[in-house]
Amino acid sequence: MTFSANAPETTATRTGRAEFTADLPWIEDAGKVAPRDARTLSKLFFDRLRTLEEGTGEYQYARNTLIEMNLSLVTFAARRFRNRGSGDMEDIMQVGTIGLIKAIDRFDLSREVGFTSFAVPYIVGEIKRFFRDTTWAVHVPRRLQELRVELAKSKEALVPALGRTPTVKELAAHLGLTEDEIVEGLVAANGYAAGSTDTPAGDDDGDDGPKYADTVGDVDPALELFEDLYVLGPLLRQLDDREQTIIEMRFGREMTQAEIGRELSLSQMHVSRLLTRTLTKLRSGLLPS
């Protein structure tokens, strides 16, 4: 890190050349500023930031430097969420940085509150909102997401006193809700995290045991055939005796048209025409459109 309190009016920046005020030190790499130095410099930059016109190069330099100098606050706040399991740390850092930017834009030195104390709740709040809104495996209404949190807190409070997991009735009494609302919240909580189908289905944690995927049903390939036959039944009963006999011989007994003709004393051509006419009639019944 290099900075000078008497930097010239114009100097090189990270991406080229831009103007900044002589009242601010030039910081080459704000991300490498030590936390103690960052606290001191932040006061100077905040004091100058409120006098600069938004949108100017000077304003952008001051604001961007404040962000980079205080990214360590995002890292600090993000550590408590590293074991949540459903969020990538890179995403958490990005969301936390949004909270930091909001804190910088809303901070006022006249309040005599340290920026660190002011910014951390913004950062943590933004990260919590990220987990609340985006990490549910199944989308559920916001009120049920918030109810899941309240149920978890209630269980933590009741278990030590009861010596066991509280019942739905006890949770309802504790939260002042109906039992139906508690049940709805408990069911919705199952959508918070999705388990892998490769997870062992029984008590055996070994890799050789049955998996949940082994218990999941699949579409029966004969189901579509069953539906067709179910619809076809009434149509077959509407055929006359000779048509039913030809259909049964051709598809039930798998006889050729020549064999059918010999048995019914008909020419093969006549059997072919009768079969075509009958199949057209059945097809029209199955597909009336």
Side-chain angles (χ1 to χ4, degrees):
M1 176 201 67
T2 60
F3 62 87
S4 170
N6 298 311
E9 184 74 10
T10 303
T11 187
T13 67
R14 302 170 187 79
T15 58
R17 299 182 65 83
E19 293 183 356
F20 64 97
T21 66
D23 298 335
L24 291 175
W26 170 248
I27 302 178
E28 187 66 30
D29 189 348
K32 294 183 179 179
V33 176
R36 178 179 299 179
D37 294 333
R39 285 193 292 271
T40 302
L41 288 169
S42 290
K43 292 181 181 178
L44 175 63
F45 274 76
F46 273 119
D47 185 59
R48 191 71 185 91
L49 186 66
R50 62 183 179 180
T51 66
L52 296 173
E53 182 180 353
E54 187 173 350
T56 63
E58 297 159 327
Y59 180 91
Q60 291 300 324
Y61 167 71
R63 184 171 179 267
N64 290 343
T65 302
L66 279 168
I67 294 171
E68 294 178 24
M69 281 196 302
N70 289 283
L71 282 175
S72 59
L73 297 178
V74 179
T75 303
F76 169 78
R79 287 174 184 166
R80 61 187 289 186
F81 298 95
R82 64 180 180 272
N83 295 323
R84 289 292 291 266
S86 53
D88 186 274
M89 278 303 296
E90 183 177 351
D91 293 335
I92 296 173
M93 287 293 296
Q94 290 179 358
V95 171
T97 301
I98 294 174
L100 172 64
I101 294 172
K102 289 182 178 180
I104 289 173
D105 291 340
R106 298 171 185 176
F107 183 64
D108 186 355
L109 276 175
S110 63
R111 296 178 180 177
E112 298 183 354
V113 176
F115 178 67
T116 298
S117 301
F118 181 82
V120 170
Y122 271 91
I123 297 169
V124 171
E126 202 68 30
I127 295 174
K128 285 184 176 180
R129 190 175 298 110
F130 164 74
F131 276 101
R132 183 186 64 195
D133 294 345
T134 65
T135 59
W136 283 69
V138 177
H139 179 71
V140 299
R142 174 68 60 80
R143 65 179 181 84
L144 293 180
Q145 295 182 24
E146 295 173 347
L147 179 56
R148 184 196 70 85
V149 177
E150 295 303 318
L151 285 171
K153 292 179 179 179
S154 297
K155 287 180 180 179
E156 290 180 1
L158 292 173
V159 166
L162 298 173
R164 55 174 172 78
T165 301
T167 63
V168 170
K169 184 176 182 179
E170 290 165 341
L171 287 170
H174 186 263
L175 291 174
L177 299 173
T178 66
E179 293 185 26
D180 287 343
E181 289 174 320
I182 296 298
V183 171
E184 186 181 17
L186 293 172
V187 172
N190 293 329
Y192 184 69
S196 171
T197 55
D198 291 329
T199 303
D203 296 332
D204 185 6
D205 294 332
D207 294 335
D208 298 331
K211 305 294 191 298
Y212 280 113
D214 300 330
T215 67
V216 177
D218 198 0
V219 177
D220 189 336
L223 182 60
E224 187 174 349
L225 176 61
F226 170 79
E227 293 175 347
D228 291 340
L229 292 175
Y230 182 80
V231 177
L232 190 60
L235 299 176
L236 289 171
R237 289 191 291 271
Q238 294 174 11
L239 300 177
D240 60 37
D241 293 341
R242 185 170 65 172
E243 290 172 332
Q244 289 186 21
T245 299
I246 292 175
I247 290 295
E248 193 278 330
M249 295 172 71
R250 179 68 183 92
F251 298 101
R253 294 156 58 182
E254 298 183 351
M255 296 173 61
T256 66
Q257 293 180 14
E259 292 171 337
I260 295 172
R262 286 194 297 270
E263 186 164 329
L264 298 179
S265 300
L266 299 172
S267 68
Q268 181 177 341
M269 183 66 68
H270 194 185
V271 171
S272 177
R273 287 197 298 267
L274 289 172
L275 186 60
T276 299
R277 186 181 65 185
T278 304
L279 292 176
T280 300
K281 186 187 299 184
L282 293 174
R283 188 178 295 111
S284 299
L286 287 172
L287 305 171
S289 59

